Amino acid sequence: MDSILLRNNVKIIGEGNRPILFAPGFGCDQNMWRFVAPEFESDYQVILFDYVGSGKSDYDAYSSSKYSELGGYAQDILDICLALDLKEVTFIGHSVGSMIGILASIQKPNLFKELILIGPSPCYLNDPPQYLGGFEKEELDELINMMDLNYIGWANYLSKVIMKNPERPELSGELEQSFCSTDPHVAREFAIATFFSDYRNCLPEVSVPSLILQCSDDTIAPLEVGKYMFQHLRNSEFYQMKATGHCPHMSHPEETVQLIRKYLTVNQD
Amino acid sequence: MDEQLDFAPCGYLSLTDDGTIHCINQTLLVLLGIKKSEIMGKHINVILTKSSQSFYQLYFFPMIKAQEKVDEMFLTLKSKNGDNIPVFLNAARNKRNETFVNDCIFFPMRRRYEYEQVILSAKKAAEESTLSKEKAIVELEKVRKELECKQKELLELNETLQKLTVTDELTGLHNRRSYNKVLSQNLSLFHRTTNPFSLLMIDIDHFKLVNDTYGHLTGDKILKELSYILKNESRVCDFTARYGGEEFVLILPHTEKEGSIQIAESIRESVETAIWTVPSITVSIGIATAINGDTETTVQSRADEALYISKNKGRNQLTHAEELKKGLFRN
């Protein structure tokens, strides 16, 4: 049990009994939830974690074969639920975290009470004429190239190198804080597993009730994709937020919290 | 905006949290080839390429919100006429008039962008070549191990063959072929150093009778047991071989007549007094010690002659060839 909690850097806060599990989106760790998660502490058991290869997870636990598809990450969600003996879990996932939760719920539907999906997408690539994911292949290639140019993941690598150079402590501290830190190799594989995946076929298999929170003007998960999710997920509700962009839990935490609360209250019985 | 910032040698704009541009300097407008009126109040997406829009949402926004600053981010801007402009971006989150704004400065980095692309593709090529090198090394190591195995097998096979060619199969002593070689070596050494060696020819007494009476299996057993005694009685430097049938030879390096007689006598005695698991036997021995002008044939025929004398004199005894010279035993 401890090994799984360490592997995924699991943090448990809050005074309630009902478990609520927050799964971060692509590229960032559990600190993403800092404006939202504390709002649920008083009446929920709030569980936060990092994906293997991100944040303060155990990087040695990473294996390309397991995590080259989102199923590997979904297995880790199930591992965490089992290790903590969670039941009736409220799952809140952002971006790729939504898809990871969906895959976990297909495997163990009884574990989950509901899924709250923020900016979900089952497939980022356009598949005309019936599906518009929002991206052409070249655009995704360029996005991954841009990650390379920004040395995404190198911060973490560098901080390890700089740890060995104590004469520059200021840089080490700064890099450690970087909450988007992840291994460069992992970042690239995670990006490919995320952006070049196609889980449209899985949507009809979902039986757990869900809420889709769709942002306005979201380049990464456009409105059409949210609607597609709504059409293909049984027992789903769809809400288009006033929030713009792809990270409403960071840009519009109040609206995000309010919508989640409302859904949880209505779905209570 | 003051004039210094407006015309500063870097692009400047400031964004609200929802990404709306509400302030932009002349330098950036010129870079983008766009009029101020066309862009004020618009979302930053209008000046970003598609992948930069995504990158902005995935990384820029969460970072500026959580860390209140972004350092050294690379993005691609899109000018009004559609050109891509690679830029370096620094941003800080500041509070002005009770609201948060995100101040961003941009440096075009065309040349540096080219360098970075070259470096990136070099890095990729290096990674690929490292990978294929590692694979090749693994493959090479496999081949090397196989070769090592084969070599070992070959060495073992050679060793077996070598043994087969120099060993007498029944007794495990050296065979006649090996004896001929060692005799020649000892002779050459003798001619060079004049340090004599002696040669013992040993023959089992009445062996034909044993064979006829008890059968060849018993005969073979006797040969084996005798070989064991010969091995035991000879010194480490001595050479013991089966000459053929029931005849054995010993080459005793650095051994003069007296020494050779001693060894021959101890062999004879051991054979006589040994406890045999088969009918007991005795041996007759002829000895020759190398003399000047000796060849393989002369030294061997002297030993042979001496053996003949031992037989004639009633067996179970030894004769040294020097005594023949004295004419003591000539018929």
Side-chain angles (χ1 to χ4, degrees):
Chain A
M1 166 184 160
D2 279 355
S3 66
I4 284 167
L5 301 189
L6 285 174
R7 182 188 70 187
N8 286 97
N9 186 29
V10 176
K11 295 276 182 304
I12 305 160
I13 47 173
E15 285 126 40
N17 299 322
R18 289 172 291 174
I20 188 163
L21 180 66
F22 285 93
F26 174 79
C28 294
D29 66 19
Q30 55 183 271
N31 284 312
M32 274 208 133
W33 297 109
R34 68 172 78 174
F35 304 112
V36 168
E39 298 295 318
F40 295 90
E41 279 178 34
S42 55
D43 39 3
Y44 283 90
Q45 179 193 18
V46 173
I47 300 135
L48 299 163
F49 72 95
D50 294 333
Y51 298 116
V52 169
S54 306
K56 293 191 174 64
S57 67
D58 178 8
Y59 284 58
D60 291 334
Y62 187 85
S63 88
S64 296
S65 56
K66 178 175 177 186
Y67 296 109
S68 62
E69 287 183 13
L70 299 184
Y73 293 99
Q75 182 57 50
D76 286 359
I77 302 267
L78 297 175
D79 289 348
I80 293 167
C81 292
L82 198 70
L84 296 175
D85 195 23
L86 303 181
K87 289 181 184 73
E88 301 254 295
V89 178
T90 296
F91 178 92
I92 302 185
H94 170 235
S95 190
V96 70
S98 308
M99 275 321 297
I100 291 168
I102 282 175
L103 295 177
S105 86
I106 291 171
Q107 280 202 46
K108 292 265 156 65
N110 296 332
L111 217 52
F112 299 94
K113 185 168 184 289
E114 62 233 326
L115 307 172
I116 294 168
L117 314 170
I118 303 172
S121 171
C123 178
Y124 293 90
L125 274 167
N126 293 331
D127 183 13
Q130 68 272 29
Y131 181 78
L132 282 175
F135 291 88
E136 293 300 329
K137 184 172 180 301
E138 298 70 40
E139 290 167 338
L140 290 177
D141 285 338
E142 205 196 320
L143 175 61
I144 286 174
N145 185 40
M146 195 164 276
M147 287 175 58
D148 282 342
L149 279 165
N150 274 291
Y151 299 94
I152 293 299
W154 283 85
N156 191 66
Y157 175 73
L158 279 178
S159 76
K160 278 183 206 156
V161 175
I162 288 161
M163 294 284 241
K164 295 172 194 154
N165 298 289
E167 67 275 10
R168 296 184 68 195
E170 76 290 349
L171 198 47
S172 170
E174 186 182 317
L175 289 168
E176 268 179 87
Q177 277 173 17
S178 170
F179 77 126
C180 287
S181 71
T182 152
D183 180 86
H185 172 68
V186 174
R188 195 183 174 83
E189 289 193 342
F190 194 17
I192 289 166
T194 300
F195 291 113
F196 289 98
S197 63
D198 182 357
Y199 290 100
R200 283 177 290 167
N201 288 340
C202 296
L203 300 183
E205 294 176 45
V206 178
S207 56
V208 180
S210 57
L211 168 67
I212 298 156
L213 292 179
Q214 174 68 46
C215 286
S216 303
D217 302 324
D218 186 348
T219 317
I220 294 167
L223 182 60
E224 296 73 25
V225 172
K227 284 184 173 163
Y228 181 94
M229 296 283 298
F230 177 52
Q231 282 160 12
H232 290 81
L233 285 174
R234 267 180 289 159
N235 299 323
S236 65
E237 286 180 34
F238 178 87
Y239 192 90
Q240 185 168 353
M241 300 177 73
K242 290 187 194 74
T244 55
H246 186 58
C247 300
H249 53 317
M250 300 198 84
S251 63
H252 299 73
E254 305 82 11
E255 189 191 9
T256 310
V257 170
Q258 185 220 323
L259 288 170
I260 293 172
R261 273 204 180 285
K262 193 174 147 203
Y263 179 76
L264 294 182
T265 315
V266 173
N267 212 24
Q268 189 63 56
D269 309 304
Chain B
M1 193 185 303
D2 63 40
E3 200 180 315
Q4 277 159 320
L5 180 58
D6 214 6
F7 294 96
C10 66
Y12 163 81
L13 63 72
S14 104
L15 297 170
T16 59
D17 270 349
D18 63 6
T20 306
I21 298 167
H22 76 101
C23 196
I24 183 164
N25 76 349
Q26 281 299 327
T27 312
L28 189 54
L29 288 170
V30 170
L31 189 68
L32 294 166
I34 207 167
K35 285 197 196 105
K36 197 170 191 171
S37 57
E38 293 174 295
I39 197 169
M40 288 294 276
K42 294 273 170 59
H43 193 274
I44 187 167
N45 275 357
V46 301
I47 59 164
L48 296 175
T49 62
K50 183 69 181 287
S51 48
S52 290
Q53 291 172 19
S54 307
F55 200 81
Y56 171 87
Q57 290 193 352
L58 284 172
Y59 289 103
F60 178 86
F61 181 71
M63 279 170 98
I64 194 81
K65 188 81 200 257
Q67 292 169 186
E68 308 209 317
K69 64 172 185 164
V70 167
D71 286 335
E72 301 179 37
M73 182 172 275
F74 164 81
L75 279 177
T76 310
L77 299 183
K78 195 174 62 187
S79 76
K80 191 185 174 187
N81 60 17
D83 291 341
N84 285 354
I85 309 162
V87 291
F88 231 13
L89 158 65
N90 271 12
R93 187 169 167 81
N94 294 313
K95 198 170 192 179
R96 280 199 295 271
N97 306 326
E98 296 303 307
T99 47
F100 279 104
V101 287
N102 303 305
D103 292 320
C104 310
I105 56 166
F106 299 87
F107 300 92
M109 44 169 274
R110 286 204 168 87
R111 255 179 309 163
R112 190 159 292 266
Y113 176 76
E114 296 303 328
Y115 299 149
E116 299 257 340
Q117 291 287 355
V118 172
I119 290 169
L120 268 180
S121 53
K123 175 177 157 268
K124 262 175 213 158
E127 278 170 0
E128 274 162 27
S129 90
T130 308
L131 205 70
S132 58
K133 206 165 107 190
E134 276 167 6
K135 269 188 197 157
I137 287 172
V138 168
E139 193 61 32
L140 215 63
E141 180 63 13
K142 212 176 109 195
V143 172
R144 195 187 63 79
K145 279 206 176 121
E146 276 172 19
L147 199 71
E148 224 170 48
C149 270
K150 288 262 183 280
Q151 251 169 356
K152 213 177 143 205
E153 276 172 31
L154 207 65
L155 278 177
E156 284 169 0
L157 201 66
N158 264 344
E159 212 172 297
T160 315
L161 280 174
Q162 180 73 15
K163 263 190 196 151
L164 281 177
T165 53
V166 299
T167 310
D168 174 64
E169 205 180 347
L170 177 70
T171 60
L173 296 181
H174 290 281
N175 61 13
R176 184 162 172 174
R177 175 199 181 94
S178 176
Y179 156 73
N180 288 337
K181 199 171 139 198
V182 174
L183 180 62
S184 295
Q185 284 168 354
N186 274 273
L187 266 171
S188 331
L189 201 65
F190 166 65
H191 291 316
R192 209 149 50 82
T193 63
T194 68
N195 196 347
F197 69 94
S198 296
L199 176 65
L200 270 55
M201 302 273 319
I202 303 165
D203 190 88
I204 301 174
D205 298 330
H206 301 301
F207 189 66
K208 192 175 174 326
L209 191 67
V210 176
N211 260 343
D212 291 348
T213 315
Y214 300 96
H216 281 93
L217 282 181
T218 306
D220 285 352
K221 254 187 172 170
I222 288 172
L223 293 172
K224 278 192 204 168
E225 286 184 30
L226 176 61
S227 303
Y228 185 76
I229 293 171
L230 292 180
K231 265 272 163 228
N232 255 358
E233 292 303 323
S234 57
R235 302 161 300 182
V236 178
C237 61
D238 296 339
F239 175 86
T240 313
R242 184 176 174 206
Y243 190 74
E246 70 273 28
E247 260 189 312
F248 294 83
V249 281
L250 256 82
I251 296 173
L252 315 173
H254 304 300
T255 312
E256 307 248 13
K257 181 185 166 195
E258 288 72 29
S260 66
I261 290 172
Q262 251 174 42
I263 292 174
E265 176 53 26
S266 80
I267 289 173
R268 189 204 59 77
E269 197 188 332
S270 291
V271 173
E272 189 178 26
T273 57
I275 300 160
W276 296 80
T277 62
V278 285
S280 59
I281 48 130
T282 56
V283 292
S284 300
I285 305 174
I287 314 164
T289 300
I291 50 173
N292 278 340
D294 254 343
T295 62
E296 286 88 343
T297 321
T298 57
V299 69
Q300 197 173 304
S301 56
R302 283 208 311 285
D304 241 352
E305 243 175 283
L307 173 61
Y308 177 76
I309 298 300
S310 295
K311 289 272 184 196
N312 258 1
K313 280 171 66 186
R315 300 186 170 84
N316 190 22
Q317 51 190 289
L318 44 108
T319 308
H320 194 282
E322 232 172 72
E323 282 149 36
L324 302 176
K325 233 169 42 182
K326 294 172 188 165
L328 292 176
F329 303 105
R330 286 218 190 263
N331 294 333

